[in-house]
Amino acid sequence: MSQFLMQLLAVAICLAGMLAVLIPLFVMIKYRDKTVKIPIDREQLQRLPGFGLQREIRDRQFDLLGNMSMSICIVSIPFAYFAVLAFLKTHNFPTLIVIFVVIGTLWCSWRTVKVFKHLTRLRLGHTAELATAAELLQLQAKGYQVFHDIQADNFNIDHLVVGPNGVFAVETKGRHKRLSERNNKHGLRSHECIYVDNQLRFPKWSETKPLEQAVRQAKWVSQWLSSSTMFDVTAKPVLVLPGWYIKLKSKPPFPIVNHKQLAKMLANFGNDRLTPEQINAICWQVAQRCIQGPEDKK
C-alpha cells in the first residue's frame, strides 16, 4: 500500500465515529424531506411569550455542544491519526480494538437513526401544540382561562380550557402529511382526515387511540376537579389535529377539529353554566397543579 493511501485510510479510520453519525443523519433527513412534511408552517404561527428567546437559547446550547465536540476532535484526532498510521505500517491491528471500533460505530449509527426518529416525532408534536396554543389565545380575550401541559398521573393534559360554558380537556395530535400518493387506502387527499365509525382515517392509515386517549384524559380531569373543588365538574374531551381538514362521516362523541376551528367551536360548545365562583375554584386547583406537579410526586 502506498504512503498516500495509507495516510488516507488512517484519516478515514479516525473519522469513522463522526461518519457513523453524519451519514445516517444525512440519509434520514433526505428520506424525511422526500416522504413527509409537517402540516403547519411554524413561521406563520402566532408567537407565544419568549418564543424568540427560547429559539436563541436552543441555538446557543447547540453552539456550546458543537464547540465542545470540536475541541475534543482537535485534540484527539492528531494523536489518533499517528497511532492508526503506525498500526497500518506494522500490519498489526489489535483484534480487540478492531472489534470495539466496529461495534461502537454500528451502535452509534443505530442510536442516531433511533434518536432522529424520536426527535422528528417530538418536533411534530411541539409544532402541533404551539399551533393549538396560539389559537387558544383568542379565548382569553373572551374571559376564558387557558392552561397548558398539566401534569397528571404519568401523563399530561396538553391544554385545559375553563370558561362559563364548561371545562374542556384539549388533546392535540400532530400527524405528518405523506408527500407520496401511493398506498392511499381511503381515497383521500393528502391533507384530509375522515372520522367514521369511531375511527380516524388518514390517507394511508387509520387510528383509534387518539380518540380513546382524549376520553380517558377528560375522565381523569373530571374526577380530579370534582374531588378537589367539592362540586361536580364534567370535563369535555376535544381532539385537535392541526393542519388537517376534518371530514365527519358520522357524528363523533366529542369535537374533532382543525386548530383553526378550535377557538370558535369552544366558545359555542357545551351546556354547562359555571358561576364565577366555580370558575375561580377550578382555576385555582389547576394553577396549583401546574406549579406543584402531580400529587404522587409530592
Side-chain angles (χ1 to χ4, degrees), residues 175-229:
R175 293 294 183 265
H176 280 114
K177 291 181 179 178
R178 269 46 176 188
L179 298 178
S180 173
E181 294 294 335
R182 294 182 300 175
N183 301 322
N184 191 327
K185 296 182 179 180
H186 305 114
L188 301 174
R189 301 174 68 181
S190 62
H191 62 279
E192 294 178 336
C193 171
I194 288 180
Y195 172 82
V196 59
D197 298 332
N198 203 31
Q199 188 179 71
L200 294 172
R201 293 183 181 177
F202 295 88
K204 297 187 179 183
W205 74 96
S206 300
E207 294 187 58
T208 59
K209 289 185 178 180
L211 303 169
E212 299 165 0
Q213 182 180 356
V215 172
R216 184 169 61 249
Q217 293 184 352
K219 182 179 179 181
W220 182 90
V221 171
S222 300
Q223 294 173 345
W224 161 52
L225 289 177
S226 295
S227 63
S228 301
T229 60

Side-chain angles (χ1 to χ4, degrees), residues 72-96:
I72 293 173
C73 293
I74 290 173
V75 173
S76 61
I77 285 181
F79 294 98
Y81 167 77
F82 287 107
V84 171
L85 190 60
F87 282 126
L88 289 174
K89 288 180 178 178
T90 59
H91 304 286
N92 183 26
F93 257 106
T95 304
L96 289 178

Side-chain angles (χ1 to χ4, degrees), residues 262-292:
L262 181 60
K264 183 177 180 180
M265 183 278 299
L266 287 182
N268 297 284
F269 182 75
N271 297 320
D272 293 348
R273 291 295 177 264
L274 298 178
T275 65
E277 292 76 16
Q278 289 176 319
I279 293 175
N280 289 337
I282 292 172
C283 290
W284 190 88
Q285 292 295 335
V286 178
Q288 290 302 305
R289 190 161 190 105
C290 289
I291 296 172
Q292 299 174 1

Side-chain angles (χ1 to χ4, degrees), residues 148-158 220 224 286 289-297:
H148 307 284
D149 197 26
I150 297 94
Q151 297 301 305
D153 300 328
N154 300 319
F155 61 92
N156 73 300
I157 310 298
D158 291 339
W220 182 90
W224 161 52
V286 178
R289 190 161 190 105
C290 289
I291 296 172
Q292 299 174 1
E295 295 177 353
D296 58 353
K297 291 186 179 181

